[in-house]
């Protein structure tokens, strides 16, 4: 049951399945250090220490929440999906970490109590206008928000066949796009709408290329299965989804001229990050 009578919206149900949550836990990776560096230099510049409470909204199975632990006295991960929060709770965490099932638009924290609110690959799923009102309510004056994601612009790297592999991955993405939820247009527009609706005047939107992330062929196939559009496809046509996965795997191995699914390769992703700072009261009135 969700608290505060808030109804689980269709978009949130994309991540409800227990199997999907388990795939998520296994195949998604934490936010890269370069993104964390951008977020923390912004927080340091705008607010500065002490850093008491961070809320990681849409935390999924908790990979994004865990990276925040070294910086804050209290770390709260929230998600609308019970299955995801159950997965997150199974990972051993230090005592300052807690998790809670709740919608992004009604967070269980006091007014003006949050130093930093983060959402990694999650904000495009939220109901943006009420979420923005919630942001205004929960942030401390001078508190900051970071809404970030990687985009579908992904490149694969392996020897001399990087271009071919990237092209194969794009073809699969094009097939899966038919199963994309309408909310993914926010991601495709690189968070322009989120930036425009951010209620604080002190805001910026950054787009950058991340450095290489190590994968194996098997890991990449797992990552593909963690996409919400793959899960939608699988629910609608399980056999076709399995066939697509097998074909993709074979095409990768043939192109790379290898037979082992454990063959290492790398991917690079494009990231977007909308950062903003809630204006302290004295600055509003001066
Ligand atoms: C793509 S996952 C990202 C998980 C995690 N932050 C990460 O980086 O791996 C998006 C998460 O947002 C959650 N979500 C979607 N709509 C939500 C809402 N309205 N309120 C809270 N969580 C929501 C989903 O349940 C899902 O776990």
């Amino acid at each position: 049951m969700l608290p505060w009578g808030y109804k689980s919206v269709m978009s949130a149900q994309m991540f409800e399945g227990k199997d999907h949550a388990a795939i998520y836990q296994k195949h998604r990776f934490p936010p890269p250090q370069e993104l964390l560096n951008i977020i923390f230099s912004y927080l340091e510049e705008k607010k500065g220490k002490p850093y008491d409470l961070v809320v990681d909204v849409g935390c999924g199975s908790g990979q994004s929440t865990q990276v925040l632990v070294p910086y804050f006295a209290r770390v709260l991960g929230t998600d609308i999906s019970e299955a995801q929060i159950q997965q997150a709770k199974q990972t051993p965490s230090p005592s300052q970490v807690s998790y809670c099932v709740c919608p992004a638009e009604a967070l269980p924290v006091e007014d003006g109590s949050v130093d930093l609110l983060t959402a990694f690959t999650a904000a495009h799923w939220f109901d943006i206008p009420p979420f923005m009102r919630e942001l205004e309510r929960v942030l401390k004056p001078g508190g900051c928000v970071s809404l970030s994601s990687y985009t579908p612009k992904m490149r694969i790297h392996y020897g001399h066949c990087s271009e071919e592999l990237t092209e194969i991955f794009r073809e699969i993405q094009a097939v899966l796009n038919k199963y994309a939820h309408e909310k993914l247009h926010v991601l495709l527009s690189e968070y322009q709408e989120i930036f425009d609706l951010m209620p604080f005047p002190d805001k910026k939107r950054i787009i950058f290329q991340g450095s290489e992330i190590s994968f194996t062929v098997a890991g990449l196939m797992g990552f593909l299965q963690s996409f919400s559009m793959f899960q939608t496809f699988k629910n609608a046509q399980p056999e076709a989804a399995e066939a697509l996965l097998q074909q993709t795997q074979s095409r990768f191995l043939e192109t790379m001229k290898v037979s082992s699914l454990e063959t290492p390769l790398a991917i690079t992703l494009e990231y977007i990050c909308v950062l903003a700072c809630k204006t302290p009261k004295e600055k509003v009135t001066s």
Side-chain angles (χ1 to χ4, degrees), residues 1-76:
M1 277 291 289
L2 289 168
W4 306 285
Y6 192 93
K7 287 199 171 49
S8 169
V9 286
M10 168 64 191
S11 61
Q13 291 163 0
M14 310 286 293
F15 299 88
E16 269 306 332
K18 279 203 172 114
D19 291 350
H20 191 188
I23 287 173
Y24 221 92
Q25 174 77 290
K26 190 160 172 212
H27 296 292
R28 288 284 174 129
F29 37 85
Q33 191 59 47
E34 57 218 307
L35 175 58
L36 295 176
N37 291 346
I38 288 172
I39 297 170
F40 281 100
S41 49
Y42 186 81
L43 184 65
E44 186 62 37
E45 176 198 332
K46 297 291 173 184
K47 182 187 166 292
K49 294 187 178 66
Y51 300 158
D52 176 31
L53 175 61
V54 62
V55 183
D56 183 32
V57 185
C59 68
S61 48
Q63 285 97 326
S64 54
T65 317
Q66 294 291 337
V67 298
L68 301 167
V69 171
Y71 304 90
F72 290 90
R74 293 184 293 150
V75 178
L76 172 64

Side-chain angles (χ1 to χ4, degrees), residues 209-245:
Q209 288 294 327
S211 41
E212 288 191 0
I213 303 171
S214 299
F215 261 91
T216 59
V217 179
L220 189 62
M221 295 307 126
F223 181 48
L224 181 66
Q225 289 177 74
S226 76
F227 292 1
S228 61
M229 38 191 147
F230 183 85
Q231 291 298 318
T232 307
F233 179 34
K234 194 174 154 195
N235 287 339
Q237 299 180 55
E239 284 167 16
E242 185 53 34
L244 180 74
L245 203 58

